[in-house]
Structure formats: C-alpha cells, structure tokens
Amino acid sequence: MGSFHEATALTREPGTDLFTVDLDPQWTVGGRMHGGYLLAAMARAATEVGPHAHPHAVSASFAVPPQAGPARVSVEVLRAGKGLTQSRVRLGQDGTPCAEALLTLGPLADHEPYWSGVTPADLPPEHECVRVPAEAPGAGFRVDLMDVVEQRLDPRPLGFLGGTPSRQGEISGWQRLADGSDWDPLSLLVALDPVPPVSYDLGIPGWAPTLQISAYLRRPPAPGPVRVRMRAGVVAGDRMDEVAEAWDSKDRLVAQATQLAGVRLP
C-alpha cells in the first residue's frame, strides 16, 4: 500500500515550473481518478513553486478524467507577496487538458475562530460506524480509494444500502489514511471529497463526478481521524451541489468545500 505522499510525489523538470506526477490507480473510484486526490496533487505542485507551503483556498474545474499513469502539471505564479501567493495550476495527460485550479497559498496559522456558525458533525464513536469496503455491495464497481482511505460511516442514514434512503441529503463519517499517516493540509483535500456521494441518500445511485470544487483550509489538523459531514444543497437538471466540512480529533473545523457534481436523476 503506497502512502499519500508517495502517490502525490512530483518530479520537476529542471529549470521550469513543470512537473510529472504518476497518478496512482489506488486513488480511484470505479476506475476514475478521485477528484480530491487530483486536487491534492495539483496543490502540491503549487507549494513547490513560490515561498508558501500551505494552500488556503483552492478552486478547480475538471474537464476530462485522466487515467492512472503519468500526467504533467504546470504552475504559473500570478502573484507572490509576503503574506500570500496566488497561482494557477493545470494538469494534463497526453496533450489533453484535464483540470485547472486557482490557489491561494500562505502560512496556515493555528488560530481559534473569532466566530463560527458551523457545528461539528454528530457521529457515533468511530468503532460503532460502518467501514466502507472497496467492494461496496450493490455499487457495481470497485472503489479502490477505500484501500488507502479508511472510512467509517454513521450507520443511522445508511438505509440506501437496503433500498430505503432517508432522503435527508446528509452522510457523515470518520476518515483515516490507511497507512497510519496523519492528515495534513494537502491530504485534507482528499477527505473533502468523500464517497459515497450524498445523492445515494436521496435515492439517486451511480457515479457523481466532480465538475467544480472550491475548498478552504482553515488550520493544520491535530493527529488522529477527521470527521467529515457532506450535505446536499440543490439537486436539479442532472447537477447537484454538496457542502463538506472536516473536523479534527480536537473538534476543530479544519477544512470546508463546496462542489458541483453530476448526477443521473431517476
């Protein structure tokens, strides 16, 4: 089992801001590269160019799903200041543009919030939650991501597994990196794109590809698992928006994301 850091390792072309990354097939859902993993690889490239090592905000659009294997990543620094760096990152494969992201990077301080209207996800203890297997029953495809990310879901809204979805539009669970590594600001981008999608709880099975995602990294996470809550906003016209929030082992909000995903309405 490869680690997250190995799976997002980059090789820089000498004298350029171009990188090669070997997209790891373990970080796939139904044979397609996981969106949060691609986002993390692109963010790692941005941290290699310029003075700042932590992403604060990432906004990415996915045009063409890349395949596992070599891909090229280019970084363009738009502005490099003392406090923040703003960059554009593109990921392509075999000459085809696959994804593009705009990033704001800077030092990620461990400040307590002045105010917050977001409450932590209410979850049973980790050992009472349901481990998601790579061979998910009824899914019809393999989720290799679950071999590298250990995810345990709140059993209360899992009626969709038996054909009786709660239709509340919310799924929550605990997540750990399966190799025992602690989460960091880059790997949290994977946690913010959890599976299964909220559409399952709305009675809409099948693949829900990420079309666009915007993520905010709030603070470095404490060691241990993170709790991630994913909620649906509006589902219409074969599109769905989802909001994810990640809380660390000290009950601190460490990251958030909003994404637009595709769905196949019944």
Side-chain angles (χ1 to χ4, degrees):
M1 179 190 302
S3 70
F4 166 78
H5 295 285
E6 292 171 340
T8 55
L10 302 165
T11 301
R12 190 170 188 170
E13 297 183 11
T16 75
D17 293 335
L18 299 173
F19 301 83
T20 299
V21 59
D22 192 13
L23 300 178
D24 190 330
Q26 285 189 302
W27 299 78
T28 58
V29 178
R32 296 179 181 265
M33 302 309 306
H34 179 252
Y37 164 73
L38 294 175
L39 199 63
M42 297 168 73
R44 185 177 296 283
T47 67
E48 296 289 329
V49 179
H52 296 113
H54 294 138
H56 282 213
V58 185
S59 181
S61 293
F62 299 90
V64 177
Q67 302 298 312
R72 296 192 77 198
V73 182
S74 64
V75 180
E76 177 188 359
V77 176
L78 304 177
R79 177 183 179 273
K82 292 183 179 180
L84 293 173
T85 298
Q86 293 166 317
S87 299
R88 177 184 288 115
V89 182
R90 296 182 175 94
L91 184 146
Q93 192 173 59
D94 298 328
T96 300
C98 297
E100 180 168 320
L102 293 172
L103 296 97
T104 299
L105 304 102
L108 199 60
D110 198 8
H111 294 310
E112 293 297 326
Y114 172 73
W115 180 89
S116 175
V118 185
T119 57
D122 178 24
L123 280 173
E126 188 176 4
H127 69 274
E128 294 181 8
C129 290
V130 179
R131 175 76 185 269
V132 180
E135 296 284 356
F141 54 83
R142 180 175 171 81
V143 184
D144 289 287
L145 180 71
M146 294 297 94
D147 286 332
V148 288
V149 177
E150 182 180 311
Q151 182 170 250
R152 296 181 182 273
L153 297 180
D154 183 346
R156 292 171 292 187
L158 294 186
F160 62 83
L161 293 175
T164 56
S166 74
R167 302 188 186 275
Q168 296 300 305
E170 180 174 319
I171 297 176
S172 301
W174 299 87
Q175 292 192 43
R176 293 179 182 267
L177 291 170
D179 69 347
S181 300
D182 287 317
W183 296 99
D184 62 24
L186 288 177
S187 57
L188 279 176
L189 294 168
V190 174
L192 289 172
D193 188 17
V195 292
V198 178
S199 50
Y200 278 39
D201 184 53
L202 298 173
I204 308 172
W207 185 49
T210 300
L211 305 175
Q212 194 280 339
I213 186 169
S214 295
Y216 300 106
L217 288 306
R218 298 296 187 186
R219 63 197 303 173
V226 293
R227 286 177 292 168
V228 178
R229 175 173 58 208
M230 178 74 88
R231 295 179 286 186
V234 176
V235 183
D238 295 342
R239 297 289 183 265
M240 169 181 65
D241 63 273
E242 302 172 300
V243 175
E245 299 147 353
W247 303 81
D248 70 6
S249 59
K250 294 184 177 180
D251 284 344
R252 307 177 308 173
L253 180 69
V254 290
Q256 297 163 279
T258 300
Q259 70 168 273
L260 180 69
V263 293
R264 293 181 179 177
L265 296 179

